[in-house]
Amino acid sequence: MHSFDVVIIGAGAAGLFCAGVAGQSGLKVLLVDHTDKVAEKIRISGGGRCNFTNLTTGPDNFLGQNPKFCRSALAGYPPGDFIDLVRRHEIGYHEKHKGQLFCDRSAQDLITMLLTECAAGGVVHWQNCPIHTLATEGDGYLLGSAQGAIRSRAVVVATGGLSIPKIGATDFGYRIARQFGLDIVETRPALVPLVFDPAQWAPFAELSGLSLPVAIETGSKRERARFREDLLFTHRGLSGPAVLQISSYWRADTPIRIDLAPDIQMQQTLLRAKGLSRKLLGNELAALVPSRLAETWIAQDARLGQDWHRPIDQTADKALAALAEQVARWELVPTGTEGYAKAEVTAGGVDTRCLSSQTMESTQAGLYFIGEVVDVTGWLGGYNFQWAWASAYACARGLASRLAEP
Ligand SMILES: Cc1cc2nc3c(=O)[nH]c(=O)nc-3n(C[C@H](O)[C@H](O)[C@H](O)COP(=O)(O)OP(=O)(O)OC[C@H]3O[C@@H](n4cnc5c(N)ncnc54)[C@H](O)[C@@H]3O)c2cc1C
């Protein structure tokens, strides 16, 4: 029979980091993963360079039923602490966009760093080791694994969300939570491209590959979310940072609204142009938004009965105002998302009301949940890894104080 202080299930971002910190605090730690690889999501993240944190991280950058839950862990392990660790390991990094930090060379540098930290903590590490059963035994737990029975004083579930099943994502964490009577906030793909009815999307499918800066929003009143980022047209719908961000807030059967030229007062600009120009309206629009988009827009409006192929000085003010309104407030109802196969993260998860915000221990004593399996979902831009580090650190500290006495 194997015996450990802590078994951590899932050798991803949160599990690896938690194992290293807990091991270095003197605990006897076993880290297991059901695949033969570690931290595949770190490896593929940020185009292979891993956007490992964001300098601006705060609770407002996260979604979840209790938006305040993440505050304590984020404050206890801020981005600067992880950056110090990266520096100690002499990993070069740079800031790209809005506080996002990336490795200069490769995400592999971070994986090597996390494995080195685990080794420094004497962490025992088993790959290809699915956990079949988990049950309480006395004050601790008994796990049935591919490598035999394991006795442990505490268990940390760090198995992540459902996105990208082909690299090892499973619903294991949610199943364990349910087994011990913990609630799950319904899961859904987030940071994911949105898709539209193929017939309605057909005119825009031709724009696939076109990218432009937009303002995008969804919801209303207190539920309203708004971002200014780049939008990308795809064959099936919309993607790019703007749409990934808004997708986390989007709810089925509700619209998204896009301002295709957020830096321009469209109505005033068109009215001013009317007084100065005899160009075709389409040509004037092409000076304000990418010309491919202007052409498609005009072709599609022509089909809807408008005639934009006339000089701007012969166009009624009312028609110009209507065009400006459409461009500044393009309202669309997605039919769905590209699903977990393309989602960067899973929104929802283990209900934070069942967890301590200080230690991530659940209402089931000795059972902890960290990282993406928890109902805390970050924006695009390094926030999800920062949550993985911060929740893992809070958990490791909690384990160290809980298990300090023999
Ligand atoms: C393409 C892509 C790009 C991304 N880019 C970024 C980015 O640049 N910045 C950012 O902040 N976030 C990014 N993310 C999100 C980020 O990768 C995740 O939020 C983060 O990895 C979550 O960490 P985690 O440890 O909770 O889960 P994971 O890193 O997913 O790790 C979970 C681990 O658990 C293992 N596991 C699952 N089920 C079992 C089981 N039954 N038994 C044993 N082990 C199991 C898995 O094999 C995996 O190793 C990206 C995600 C994707 C998909």
Side-chain angles (χ1 to χ4, degrees):
M1 170 82 73
H2 307 284
S3 191
F4 291 90
D5 290 325
V6 189
V7 175
I8 300 176
I9 307 171
L16 276 166
F17 188 55
C18 185
V21 178
Q24 289 178 39
S25 72
L27 298 176
K28 193 178 169 205
V29 179
L30 170 66
L31 175 64
V32 296
D33 201 289
H34 69 142
T35 70
D36 59 349
K37 303 212 170 79
V38 292
E40 273 300 275
K41 287 204 183 150
I42 295 182
R43 193 186 312 281
I44 63 170
S45 66
R49 295 224 163 115
C50 186
N51 175 197
F52 58 83
T53 192
N54 193 301
L55 295 171
T56 70
T57 305
D60 292 347
N61 306 116
F62 294 84
L63 300 78
Q65 281 209 332
N66 175 4
K68 293 195 181 132
F69 177 82
C70 59
R71 184 173 291 179
S72 165
L74 292 175
Y77 194 80
D81 289 12
F82 193 77
I83 294 165
D84 286 345
L85 182 65
V86 168
R87 283 202 185 120
R88 283 205 298 281
H89 284 260
E90 297 178 351
I91 297 172
Y93 65 89
H94 58 278
E95 182 179 346
K96 243 189 178 169
H97 172 65
K98 298 187 177 174
Q100 301 168 3
L101 300 190
F102 288 76
C103 297
D104 284 347
R105 226 169 47 157
S106 157
Q108 180 59 45
D109 290 344
L110 274 193
I111 300 174
T112 304
M113 175 189 90
L114 293 168
L115 288 170
T116 305
E117 290 291 310
C118 283
V123 173
V124 179
H125 184 178
W126 296 345
Q127 294 294 134
N128 286 317
C129 183
I131 300 295
H132 305 305
T133 54
L134 174 64
T136 53
E137 188 197 53
D139 290 347
Y141 291 87
L142 188 64
L143 297 93
S145 86
Q147 301 220 24
I150 310 162
R151 200 167 270 146
S152 185
R153 297 169 69 199
V155 171
V156 178
V157 178
T159 47
L162 297 169
S163 38
I164 324 277
K166 69 175 184 209
I167 57 165
T170 70
D171 66 350
F172 180 86
Y174 312 124
R175 279 192 275 124
I176 291 296
R178 283 198 195 96
Q179 179 190 330
F180 288 96
L182 312 179
D183 294 328
I184 302 293
V185 174
E186 192 182 352
T187 56
R188 61 180 202 282
L191 299 182
V192 63
L194 297 173
V195 297
F196 297 89
D197 175 69
Q200 284 173 359
W201 193 250
F204 300 105
E206 293 162 18
L207 295 175
S208 178
L210 177 73
S211 167
L212 72 159
V214 302
I216 189 166
E217 64 173 46
T218 194
S220 58
K221 299 189 181 147
R222 290 186 62 203
E223 302 283 296
R224 179 172 172 265
R226 183 180 164 89
F227 293 92
R228 278 188 74 142
E229 286 284 1
D230 284 355
L231 174 86
L232 175 70
F233 283 82
T234 71
H235 286 293
R236 285 162 47 85
L238 292 170
S239 186
V243 168
L244 299 186
Q245 295 283 34
I246 215 70
S247 71
S248 300
Y249 291 87
W250 175 72
R251 296 300 177 149
D253 304 322
T254 66
I256 57 170
R257 292 173 292 278
I258 303 171
D259 183 346
L260 292 165
D263 295 318
I264 296 169
Q265 294 290 333
M266 188 58 75
Q267 189 173 340
Q268 282 102 310
T269 308
L270 289 175
L271 288 172
R272 205 175 315 119
K274 179 176 172 175
L276 299 170
S277 160
R278 289 186 184 161
K279 279 192 203 157
L280 294 180
L281 182 54
N283 292 344
E284 286 296 342
L285 186 60
L288 304 173
V289 298
S291 54
R292 278 172 71 199
L293 175 61
E295 280 162 25
T296 304
W297 197 274
I298 278 163
Q300 109 98 12
D301 257 7
R303 244 168 301 180
L304 295 175
Q306 304 276 5
D307 178 15
W308 301 118
H309 293 94
R310 68 182 98 167
I312 191 166
D313 61 334
Q314 291 170 30
T315 309
D317 288 3
K318 214 169 139 191
L320 290 180
L323 175 63
E325 169 73 11
Q326 285 167 26
V327 172
R329 208 179 151 82
W330 186 26
E331 190 166 293
L332 308 113
V333 181
T335 48
T337 74
E338 291 278 11
Y340 290 116
K342 296 273 173 68
E344 283 204 7
V345 289
T346 301
V350 178
D351 192 329
T352 53
R353 284 175 302 186
C354 304
L355 303 178
S356 154
S357 63
Q358 312 291 313
T359 65
M360 306 296 137
E361 186 174 13
S362 71
T363 45
Q364 167 67 38
L367 180 64
Y368 297 69
F369 291 83
I370 58 173
E372 198 180 312
V373 73
V374 177
D375 175 31
V376 173
T377 305
W379 288 1
L380 187 76
Y383 302 102
N384 285 295
F385 280 131
Q386 186 56 37
W387 168 247
W389 319 135
S391 59
Y393 187 80
C395 174
R397 296 296 294 266
L399 286 164
S401 60
R402 184 177 197 276
L403 303 178
E405 296 98 47

